[in-house]
Amino acid sequence: MRVPLKWLAEYVDVVLPPAELAHRLSMAGNEVGRIDEIGADWRNVVVGQVLSVERHPRADNLFVVQVDLGPRAATLVTAATNLAPGLKVPVVLPGGGLAPGQTVEAREFRGVRSEGMLCSGDELGISPDKERIYVLEPEAPVGVALREYLGDVVLDIEVTPNRPDTLSIVGVAREVAALTGRPLRFPEIEPPSGGPLVADQITVEIRDPDLCPRYSAAVIANLTVRPSPHWMQRRLYACGVRPINNLVDVT
């Protein structure tokens, strides 16, 4: 069971350092096999905002992108086709990198100097998408280190058969609340209601009341299948689950 601490913190205050929290959980019977840190290897990677996208004057398959980095703007060259003015994107600046031993330097592409690198979700390790530049949320702060914005710690708990209650983020939050004395909390959710009566649209028949004394059903209509929001995709991916679409992911 992989548990991102930022997600866990929505249900209980995480007041202990990750290593101490892992030790407490292990001593209570929920052994933490490893601790992963998302963004630990990101160096000199910041949030940028696309100002303009133009065709490279001497290469049909390349684009010249102007990106606002906060204190200044930078020119980057990319083959990605999913960029447009206004989008927030991760930028690896010269001297930075995404992995140990990797260093990005400024270089020329057909006479245009590229001051860094734009990267995909796969290169960042936060998404399986290898083809497109990763697009951040509109509220991502320009010029801020990406590690500050997206960095996280993930506890990998080796759940034993007698503790199925910890096979969820809420279950682990209950355990952390018990171990640290912090209150457990849940987000306030108000499902939409109204519309036609469910009984007028579907019928549920219970054929064996001894095996199934009650079955509840609801009807959800007017849905559009599309990719989930990036925050949801990142959480699932951090937990080891591949995002599919909004309907599958919320399930």
Side-chain angles (χ1 to χ4, degrees), residues 68-105:
D68 179 15
L69 302 175
R72 66 181 183 88
T75 300
L76 298 137
V77 177
T78 179
T81 59
N82 68 311
L83 297 178
L87 295 180
K88 305 285 184 68
V89 292
V91 181
V92 186
L93 300 176
L98 301 175
Q102 177 203 52
T103 301
V104 172
E105 300 293 352

Side-chain angles (χ1 to χ4, degrees), residues 2-45:
R2 292 178 56 83
V3 181
L5 293 191
K6 283 187 176 179
W7 192 354
L8 182 71
E10 292 190 5
Y11 298 96
V12 63
D13 293 331
V14 180
V15 295
L16 299 173
E20 175 62 21
L21 179 60
H23 176 73
R24 292 270 193 101
L25 286 167
S26 296
M27 292 298 98
N30 290 284
E31 183 177 356
V32 177
R34 58 182 291 173
I35 302 174
D36 296 323
E37 186 174 351
I38 298 173
D41 297 323
W42 299 345
R43 305 184 325 278
N44 216 12
V45 185

Side-chain angles (χ1 to χ4, degrees), residues 42-50 65-69 72-77 83 87-94 96-98 104 114-120 124 133-134 136 142-147:
W42 299 345
R43 305 184 325 278
N44 216 12
V45 185
V46 301
V47 176
Q49 183 169 23
V50 177
V65 183
Q66 295 293 326
V67 181
D68 179 15
L69 302 175
R72 66 181 183 88
T75 300
L76 298 137
V77 177
L83 297 178
L87 295 180
K88 305 285 184 68
V89 292
V91 181
V92 186
L93 300 176
L98 301 175
V104 172
S114 182
E115 304 171 274
M117 182 182 83
L118 298 167
C119 39
S120 68
L124 291 166
I133 299 302
Y134 192 80
L136 300 164
V142 174
V144 168
L146 190 68
R147 185 172 177 179

Side-chain angles (χ1 to χ4, degrees), residues 163-223:
R163 292 303 308 271
D165 57 297
T166 55
L167 280 173
S168 68
I169 302 296
V170 173
V172 176
R174 289 184 189 277
E175 189 77 358
V176 172
L179 292 172
T180 62
R182 295 286 171 163
L184 187 69
R185 58 179 176 269
F186 295 97
E188 293 185 8
I189 301 173
E190 300 242 352
S193 59
L197 292 174
V198 175
D200 294 338
Q201 302 180 67
I202 59 173
T203 300
V204 176
E205 178 187 358
I206 299 177
R207 295 185 176 181
D208 193 333
D210 292 332
L211 295 178
C212 179
R214 174 173 176 161
Y215 190 99
S216 297
V219 174
I220 303 175
N222 302 320
L223 298 177

Side-chain angles (χ1 to χ4, degrees), residues 121-140:
D122 179 72
E123 290 171 316
L124 291 166
I126 59 175
S127 164
D129 189 353
K130 301 179 181 180
E131 305 300 324
R132 296 170 295 182
I133 299 302
Y134 192 80
V135 177
L136 300 164
E137 289 81 358
E139 61 270 20

